[in-house]
Amino acid sequence: MNERVLRVLEFHKVIEQLINQAATSIGKDYASKLKPSSNIEEVTRLQDETDEASQIIRLNKTIPLGGITDIRMSVKRSVIGGSLSTEECLDVANTIYGGRQVKTFIENLEEGLPILKELVERITPLRELERQIKNCIDDHGQVMDSASSALRSIRTSIRTLEGRVREKLDSYTRTNSKMLSDAIVTIRNDRYVLPVKQEYRAAIGGIVHDQSSSGQTLFMEPKAVVDLNNQLQAARVKEKQEIDRILKELSASIAEQSEFLFENVSVLAKVDFIHARALLGNQMKASKPEMNDQGIIKMKQARHPLISFDEVVPNDIEIGDSYTSIVITGPNTGGKTVTLKMVGLCTLMAQSGLQVPALDGCELAVFKEVFADIGDEQSIEQNLSTFSSHMTNIVDIIKHVDNESLVLFDELGSGTDPGEGAALAMAILDEVILRDARIIATTHYPELKAYGYNRDHVINASVEFDVETLQPTYRLLIGVPGRSNAFEISKRLGLDEPIIERAKGLVGVDSKSVENMISSLEQSQLSAEKDYQKAHEVLLESENLREQLEKEWKQFQNKREELFKKAEEKAENAVAKAREEAEIIVDEIRKMKSNVDMKEHEWIEARKMLEEAKPSLTNKKEHQQISPKESNELQVGDEIKLLTVNQKGEVLEKVSENEYLVQVGIMKVKVKRKDLQLLGKPKQTFEKPVATIKGTNYHVKTELDLRGERYEDALLKLEKYIDDSLLAGYPKVSIIHGKGTGALRKGVQDFVKNHPNIASSRPGSSGEGGSGVTVIEFR
């Protein structure tokens, strides 16, 4: 990627923010070298890496990267035979421990993080080397007595000698205190001495090691402790030699594991780098973009990454699908250049594996090159004017631009005669469009306002200006060219009406027509937005009314079923009571059998007649009311009973006005209408239910994409979609909510849990969209 473009779009400022998010020096080093990639497979993997780290952040967890340092130089020195210091050895042990903590943390996460888990598998624990170092060096970087038996013995000797020296010197402080400037024992040149007054030098005797600035105090080593101090010095030399030997041994052990140590550091640096990218995305309230190689950019509520969240005005931007070029017109300081830089910088960030500040569901392209001619590049040294500087850049762009390029032109054709500049701008745009590049250009020239209407794949846009407040709103209006507000602004500022009217008369007819057309477009857009809002409100009212009617209908159905159930229970009780009474009568007659001439089969026949006397109770389906039309006419698929054989079946075809072809079991027979009883209608299914919004028909699909929607709007759409899907008879549907911050996903899941007609839900599989999709199954 061209270094000048990175500088013009201020990519280095994003890198600075990224470096600040890294926890280790090795991670900061990785971040400082980040460059955009033009390979879509590499970019996709980088985005997946960042997304996995973002999942950890969304769980309110942090990768433990403390204690990890860049030990590569120390390890290299140990490999060539160098002896490391205690601090360097301790850094190696701490880095080994930190690497093991990172490995354990990521492997224990329940979430599917395939990239990070595969990455930390390369970390070797090296517990034995860590234990060896920690057994020799404490947390303060001091070699411990336990490092070796020889060191323990030497230090015991040192402590004994120090005790004897102090004991002798303490006796001097007690018995000869008047000869001392202060009754203390101190150290000079690593030897224990006393602060002796100058006049008592001969009385004390010994070696003078130092004196005070006034010369009145001499720091003397009495003869009685010279020999002990010599022994102490010799012991300290032995101590240093033993420490050097221990460090040499530790350095050799580190050198033996150098290959694993280098690999651990490399993995930890990459983990920190990935985590830093995720932290930056979280700080920017960014989301993961879907990458493509078709030059398509779609972002909703996109914000400039370097402008404060509270100050920036988010805008929707789309290019590469219906149109490949956008020409933005409008007043100065209206936000045209900010929009230009925002698209360019977001593209560079996405191609570097960074998330972009836009709503979930955004889509960005991987370009081979991003070209930008932005700002005043006038150079006094090169004797170039503003126009010449712009043209130099544009000439270079045209030499290299192709269908895999994104081109950003700021104030195209400016700095020269307006007529020639406008013509030149249109010719340059025609040439770049011919090469199928993606173009966003800003301009002041009114001639370019009509450019988008005369070219295929080109659309006009503008930045909105509030004439009432005389301030730009920074909103980008796609499809509407900017218009001059000079007359309105002048009027608001108090310029006399006659002067304004005279100026209007001097404006050409063509310019007036263009301005009137733009004004009409703006009014149409505002009117369309109002109509949409009104239609949306009516839709919500209709939804509420439908819900109320459904609730009342359900209550009516429940009440009716309850009444039928009570009636059946009452009938059952009456029949049971009658049966009991009949049984008593039959038993009494049996006892009288000897007096009555009745055979056994006659008794059985009587019992059967008694059973058949029981009234048949209707089931719920038979309670359903059937309209007169339904009682006479049958439809294909109706469930019926063939009265002549008392069997259930299904209507296959209407043969004539009073005859139907029905299937009963395995038989297909033609039957008269009078021999058929309608039991129920088949469940209606709607393959493509249609609703209308603003005069546009759309079909209910088996999936709903909520990415990029505001939270409240998304839940309203979800509720409407579930109702339509239930009417359509779908067994299951998919809700696409993306990953992002997780708020929309949680809202969808909460809604699903509380819906009475939803049986179950689950996250999508790897082939269905993973955790960015929720699959719903209906009851």
Side-chain angles (χ1 to χ4, degrees):
M1 201 67 68
N2 188 291
E3 286 294 331
R4 178 186 171 278
V5 171
L6 297 180
R7 186 182 70 256
V8 167
L9 295 177
E10 300 179 291
F11 185 67
H12 64 282
K13 292 185 178 180
V14 175
I15 296 298
E16 289 172 4
Q17 293 186 22
L18 179 63
I19 291 172
N20 291 333
Q21 297 297 331
T24 66
S25 60
I26 47 178
K28 293 179 186 295
D29 186 52
Y30 255 82
S32 66
K33 297 175 182 176
L34 180 63
K35 298 290 183 189
S37 170
S38 57
N39 183 293
I40 189 166
E41 287 81 12
E42 181 182 358
V43 171
T44 302
R45 181 175 178 83
L46 289 171
Q47 287 293 346
D48 290 341
E49 290 174 353
T50 309
D51 185 56
E52 286 192 7
S54 296
Q55 291 184 48
I56 297 174
I57 294 172
R58 285 195 291 272
L59 294 170
N60 289 324
K61 296 182 179 179
T62 304
I63 299 176
L65 293 162
I68 297 170
T69 55
D70 188 358
I71 59 173
R72 289 174 295 184
M73 292 304 296
S74 299
V75 175
K76 284 180 183 178
R77 204 163 74 258
S78 72
V79 170
I80 62 176
S83 181
L84 305 184
S85 67
T86 55
E87 289 78 8
E88 290 175 309
C89 292
L90 193 60
D91 284 345
V92 171
N94 289 336
T95 300
I96 293 172
Y97 175 77
R100 193 166 64 253
Q101 291 293 100
V102 170
K103 181 182 178 77
T104 303
F105 173 82
I106 292 178
E107 287 180 343
N108 289 343
L109 287 172
E110 296 180 0
E111 286 68 23
L113 306 172
I115 297 175
L116 287 175
K117 289 185 177 180
E118 180 184 355
L119 186 61
V120 298
E121 281 181 4
R122 293 159 44 192
I123 296 177
T124 306
L126 298 175
R127 292 177 183 272
E128 186 56 40
L129 178 58
E130 180 194 352
R131 188 179 300 112
Q132 184 182 354
I133 296 172
K134 287 298 183 75
N135 285 342
C136 295
I137 304 171
D138 64 19
D139 293 338
H140 303 291
Q142 300 297 319
V143 178
M144 297 183 291
D145 294 357
S146 58
S148 72
S149 57
L151 184 60
R152 181 183 292 108
S153 176
I154 292 169
R155 285 185 171 171
T156 301
S157 174
I158 288 173
R159 283 190 287 271
T160 300
L161 289 169
E162 285 178 338
R164 291 171 61 188
V165 170
R166 281 188 168 277
E167 185 179 348
K168 280 189 173 294
L169 293 178
D170 284 342
S171 67
Y172 273 93
T173 62
R174 288 194 299 271
T175 59
N176 301 295
S177 59
K178 65 177 182 178
M179 300 181 187
L180 305 178
S181 299
D182 202 351
I184 61 170
V185 177
T186 184
I187 296 174
R188 290 293 186 275
N189 299 328
D190 293 329
R191 298 176 77 90
Y192 287 98
V193 296
L194 294 172
V196 181
K197 294 178 181 179
Q198 173 69 34
E199 59 269 25
Y200 295 108
R201 172 176 181 175
I204 295 294
I207 303 170
V208 177
H209 288 281
D210 198 3
Q211 67 177 14
S212 65
S213 57
S214 64
Q216 296 302 311
T217 300
L218 303 176
F219 294 95
M220 296 183 64
E221 180 184 3
K223 290 179 182 179
V225 296
V226 170
D227 186 53
L228 288 174
N229 265 335
N230 288 340
Q231 293 178 42
L232 185 58
Q233 287 299 315
R236 285 174 175 163
V237 170
K238 288 181 181 180
E239 177 190 32
K240 185 177 183 307
Q241 290 172 347
E242 180 61 16
I243 289 174
D244 289 344
R245 186 195 67 77
I246 293 169
L247 293 177
K248 188 75 175 175
E249 188 176 294
L250 291 177
S251 299
S253 298
I254 291 170
E256 289 176 5
Q257 305 294 342
S258 60
E259 184 178 344
F260 297 113
L261 289 170
F262 283 133
E263 179 69 2
N264 285 6
V265 171
S266 176
V267 172
L268 292 171
K270 190 164 186 181
V271 169
D272 186 20
F273 176 46
I274 294 171
H275 190 233
R277 301 203 307 257
L279 287 172
L280 181 61
N282 185 61
Q283 177 182 291
M284 290 183 174
K285 295 180 174 58
S287 61
K288 176 189 176 184
E290 293 298 325
M291 306 306 299
N292 67 79
D293 55 0
Q294 286 86 46
I296 297 173
I297 296 175
K298 292 181 180 179
M299 291 189 289
K300 287 191 175 183
Q301 300 297 288
R303 294 169 275 109
H304 193 290
L306 301 178
I307 301 178
S308 170
F309 185 83
D310 298 328
E311 297 176 5
V312 69
V313 175
N315 277 303
D316 297 348
I317 190 79
E318 182 175 338
I319 189 172
D321 192 0
S322 303
Y323 45 85
T324 60
S325 304
I326 301 176
V327 178
I328 306 174
T329 54
N332 282 331
T333 69
K336 301 193 303 296
T337 304
V338 170
T339 301
L340 207 66
K341 286 187 173 183
M342 181 267 289
V343 175
L345 190 53
C346 285
T347 298
L348 296 179
M349 289 173 63
Q351 292 185 213
S352 303
L354 299 174
Q355 296 182 343
V356 296
L359 295 184
D360 284 347
C362 60
E363 188 173 357
L364 284 163
V366 175
F367 294 102
K368 185 171 69 176
E369 288 287 350
V370 176
F371 299 104
D373 178 53
I374 299 174
D376 187 356
E377 296 285 331
Q378 180 173 274
S379 172
I380 298 175
E381 291 82 2
Q382 299 178 19
N383 196 26
L384 294 176
S385 66
T386 300
F387 176 75
S388 300
S389 177
H390 280 299
M391 288 311 302
T392 302
N393 294 332
I394 291 170
V395 168
D396 184 63
I397 290 171
I398 292 176
K399 284 181 181 177
H400 301 96
V401 71
D402 58 18
N403 64 330
E404 296 182 88
S405 302
L406 171 65
V407 185
L408 308 172
F409 289 125
D410 188 28
E411 298 300 342
L412 184 59
S414 63
T416 186
D417 176 77
E420 294 180 355
L424 197 57
M426 287 187 281
I428 292 169
L429 287 174
D430 284 341
E431 176 62 26
V432 181
I433 290 170
L434 189 64
R435 302 193 190 186
D436 199 27
R438 302 299 180 264
I439 309 163
I440 303 179
T442 69
T443 181
H444 274 113
Y445 294 130
E447 290 85 352
L448 267 71
K449 294 177 182 178
Y451 181 84
Y453 297 104
N454 301 325
R455 303 292 194 282
D456 293 333
H457 308 301
V458 181
I459 193 167
N460 284 310
S462 61
V463 285
E464 190 179 52
F465 188 88
D466 190 337
V467 180
E468 295 298 321
T469 62
L470 304 181
Q471 293 291 328
T473 66
Y474 303 104
R475 286 184 58 225
L476 183 67
L477 304 176
I478 299 291
V480 180
R483 65 190 183 100
S484 173
N485 296 292
F487 295 146
E488 288 85 349
I489 293 172
S490 299
K491 185 176 181 180
R492 294 280 299 174
L493 292 176
L495 189 63
D496 293 340
E497 190 71 28
I499 299 175
I500 294 174
E501 291 300 322
R502 194 179 309 127
K504 287 181 178 180
L506 297 174
V507 175
V509 175
D510 291 342
S511 296
K512 287 182 180 178
S513 299
V514 170
E515 292 299 322
N516 290 336
M517 176 191 68
I518 295 171
S519 179
S520 176
L521 282 172
E522 289 180 345
Q523 293 299 322
S524 298
Q525 184 170 11
L526 290 173
S527 176
E529 290 177 354
K530 290 179 181 178
D531 290 343
Y532 174 80
Q533 185 63 31
K534 186 176 181 180
H536 185 64
E537 291 172 358
V538 172
L539 179 63
L540 290 178
E541 290 177 3
S542 302
E543 289 295 323
N544 293 333
L545 180 60
R546 181 183 61 79
E547 289 178 3
Q548 185 179 353
L549 289 174
E550 284 183 350
K551 184 178 179 181
E552 292 177 356
W553 173 252
K554 191 173 182 180
Q555 292 174 347
F556 167 75
Q557 292 282 74
N558 293 337
K559 185 66 175 177
R560 188 181 66 174
E561 289 178 10
E562 186 181 344
L563 291 173
F564 274 127
K565 187 176 180 180
K566 287 181 179 179
E568 289 182 352
E569 289 175 353
K570 188 175 181 180
E572 286 280 2
N573 294 335
V575 170
K577 185 176 180 181
R579 186 184 291 113
E580 289 175 1
E581 293 174 353
E583 287 288 348
I584 293 171
I585 295 170
V586 170
D587 288 340
E588 290 177 354
I589 294 175
R590 276 183 178 277
K591 293 175 183 178
M592 300 168 61
K593 184 177 180 181
S594 56
N595 300 324
V596 180
D597 188 15
M598 289 186 71
K599 295 183 173 55
E600 184 64 27
H601 74 274
E602 292 175 331
W603 290 104
I604 295 172
E605 186 68 26
R607 174 66 63 84
K608 183 178 180 182
M609 292 175 64
L610 178 63
E611 290 293 334
E612 290 177 349
K614 173 185 175 181
S616 59
L617 299 174
T618 59
N619 57 26
K620 186 165 69 174
K621 286 186 178 179
E622 292 171 333
H623 286 316
Q624 294 177 352
Q625 295 182 357
I626 300 174
S627 67
K629 183 178 180 181
E630 288 178 336
S631 64
N632 293 326
E633 294 183 7
L634 299 177
Q635 304 294 328
V636 174
D638 284 354
E639 185 182 2
I640 50 87
K641 178 189 282 188
L642 182 55
L643 300 176
T644 55
V645 295
N646 196 29
Q647 294 290 324
K648 293 181 180 180
E650 180 183 350
V651 176
L652 297 179
E653 181 184 348
K654 183 176 181 180
V655 178
S656 64
E657 186 65 28
N658 200 33
E659 189 175 23
Y660 294 84
L661 177 65
V662 299
Q663 178 154 2
V664 179
I666 61 173
M667 298 186 302
K668 295 181 180 178
V669 292
K670 291 182 180 179
V671 185
K672 297 293 184 181
R673 174 67 183 89
K674 64 184 179 62
D675 295 325
L676 298 175
Q677 177 185 352
L678 176 63
L679 297 180
K681 292 289 184 180
K683 183 179 179 181
Q684 295 186 6
T685 59
F686 302 88
E687 292 184 4
K688 293 183 178 180
V690 177
T692 303
I693 294 179
K694 294 180 71 175
T696 303
N697 292 333
Y698 71 92
H699 300 291
V700 175
K701 300 181 180 178
T702 57
E703 63 179 31
L704 173 65
D705 192 344
L706 296 176
R707 294 176 298 180
E709 298 288 342
R710 293 183 181 275
Y711 184 86
E712 293 79 5
D713 294 342
L715 291 185
L716 288 174
K717 283 191 175 183
L718 174 61
E719 185 178 5
K720 174 67 170 62
Y721 175 74
I722 294 297
D723 292 337
D724 290 343
S725 300
L726 287 168
L727 289 174
Y730 292 153
K732 68 177 183 179
V733 294
S734 299
I735 309 301
I736 304 172
H737 44 64
K739 300 175 181 177
T741 62
L744 184 54
R745 174 174 56 188
K746 186 176 185 304
V748 170
Q749 293 172 348
D750 290 344
F751 178 87
V752 167
K753 288 178 184 175
N754 299 321
H755 200 288
N757 294 322
I758 294 177
S760 64
S761 66
R762 61 177 175 82
S765 62
S766 58
E768 295 173 323
S771 60
V773 173
T774 295
V775 180
I776 294 172
E777 294 186 1
F778 296 115
R779 297 188 188 280

